[in-house]
Amino acid sequence: MSAVLTKGKKFALVLPSTNTSVEREFHHLRPQDCSWHTGRIMIKAPALDSANAFQAFRECLNEALPSALEVVMTCKPEYIVMGMSAETFWGGVQGNAAFEQGVRDMTGLEVTTGATAAGEALKAFGAKRIGIVTPYQPVGDEQVVAYFTELGYDVAAIHGLCSESATSIADETPETLREAFLKVDGPDVDALIQCGTNLECIAVAAELEKELGKPVIAINLATMWHAFRTNGIDDKIAGYGSLMELH
């Protein structure tokens, strides 16, 4: 990076109010004097311990999203980055596209979602057969598998941690994440990917990638990578995994 400070991109980072991992991971990575400006989506129904609870969470999120966007738009950001992923996988490729269009309609800005970023990250590695880790209940895992299958990936296995609430997702330990990745790995698996932005997974994924000799992608890293590259920010940043370092 140049020693001369340049005016970087202002990214609106929009995430559920229950999320405590996204900002911590995102603020480690701010190339070219970029900045993250948070819009928090008020979540009044954080439980995720059943299919009905998951649906209530989704309804709450979609109801509160416009207000979060309205608030963060007052800082005049240049691009929207979604620091949440479950809703972006819902309804497959068409569901994600509709979500993105809704954000564009509300803000007039382009947007990176977790679903799009995850698909593009796997494409960058040329992956075909994948293993997936999530914090979700089976109802959420079904949507994730359907999304990646529709994109043309062969899902070898998925392991959902069944976190009880949107907040408690952040309590999952590095050891639990490592074990989950190993459960969905195999000699015929090209790449591993983690969904669920409140799982603090970048460090675990980067370490495991070296050990396994294959891509291990944390969704928060994929989301940042996609937002940067889409905006012409090509910094290759070491220490966070091969996606940001090589692609």
Side-chain angles (χ1 to χ4, degrees):
M1 292 178 62
S2 170
V4 179
L5 277 179
T6 57
K7 188 67 175 177
K9 285 275 185 180
K10 285 192 292 186
F11 290 103
L13 177 60
V14 184
L15 65 152
S17 60
T18 49
N19 193 305
T20 57
S21 295
V22 162
E23 288 149 310
R24 182 156 47 195
E25 292 198 313
F26 274 61
H27 282 289
H28 284 304
L29 286 160
R30 292 186 295 163
Q32 295 187 21
D33 196 35
C34 292
S35 52
W36 303 111
H37 304 275
T38 303
R40 300 186 74 80
I41 307 165
M42 180 61 189
I43 300 297
K44 297 179 181 179
L48 296 175
D49 55 357
S50 69
N52 287 339
F54 219 111
Q55 179 60 25
F57 170 82
R58 293 183 56 230
E59 291 173 358
C60 183
L61 185 145
N62 284 305
E63 179 181 336
L65 176 59
S67 294
L69 289 169
E70 181 182 12
V71 170
V72 78
M73 284 297 292
T74 61
C75 76
K76 299 189 183 302
E78 298 163 86
Y79 193 83
I80 307 292
V81 180
M82 297 306 303
M84 44 77 66
S85 63
E87 187 64 21
T88 68
F89 289 109
W90 224 269
V93 172
Q94 184 176 354
N96 179 51
F99 183 93
E100 291 177 338
Q101 189 57 49
V103 173
R104 292 188 196 101
D105 291 344
M106 286 184 273
T107 65
L109 297 177
E110 288 298 318
V111 59
T112 286
T113 64
T116 292
E120 290 300 311
L122 289 168
K123 185 188 297 183
F125 288 109
K128 299 296 183 185
R129 187 165 169 81
I130 63 175
I132 307 170
V133 172
T134 84
Y136 307 141
Q137 298 287 334
V139 64
D141 287 347
E142 290 169 7
Q143 296 292 325
V144 171
V145 170
Y147 176 81
F148 284 113
T149 300
E150 190 176 350
L151 286 182
Y153 297 104
D154 179 12
V155 178
I158 186 167
H159 181 69
L161 297 174
C162 296
S163 300
E164 292 186 354
S165 74
T167 309
S168 68
I169 290 172
D171 297 332
E172 303 291 355
T173 66
E175 292 76 20
T176 296
L177 294 174
R178 174 185 166 81
E179 290 172 6
F181 274 126
L182 294 177
K183 285 179 181 178
V184 299
D185 188 29
D188 60 340
V189 172
D190 302 324
L192 305 177
I193 190 158
Q194 165 260 326
C195 304
T197 61
N198 205 18
L199 286 176
E200 192 166 337
C201 198
I202 291 177
V204 172
E207 181 179 347
L208 194 56
E209 186 176 73
K210 295 177 182 178
E211 180 181 330
L212 298 179
K214 67 180 65 175
V216 182
I217 304 165
I219 198 164
N220 286 340
L221 188 74
T223 301
M224 286 185 274
W225 168 81
H226 184 269
F228 294 155
R229 300 302 183 252
T230 300
N231 283 276
I233 299 168
D234 296 324
D235 299 53
K236 304 297 194 295
I237 304 172
Y240 299 93
S242 61
L243 179 65
M244 194 71 80
E245 187 170 355
L246 303 176
H247 295 280

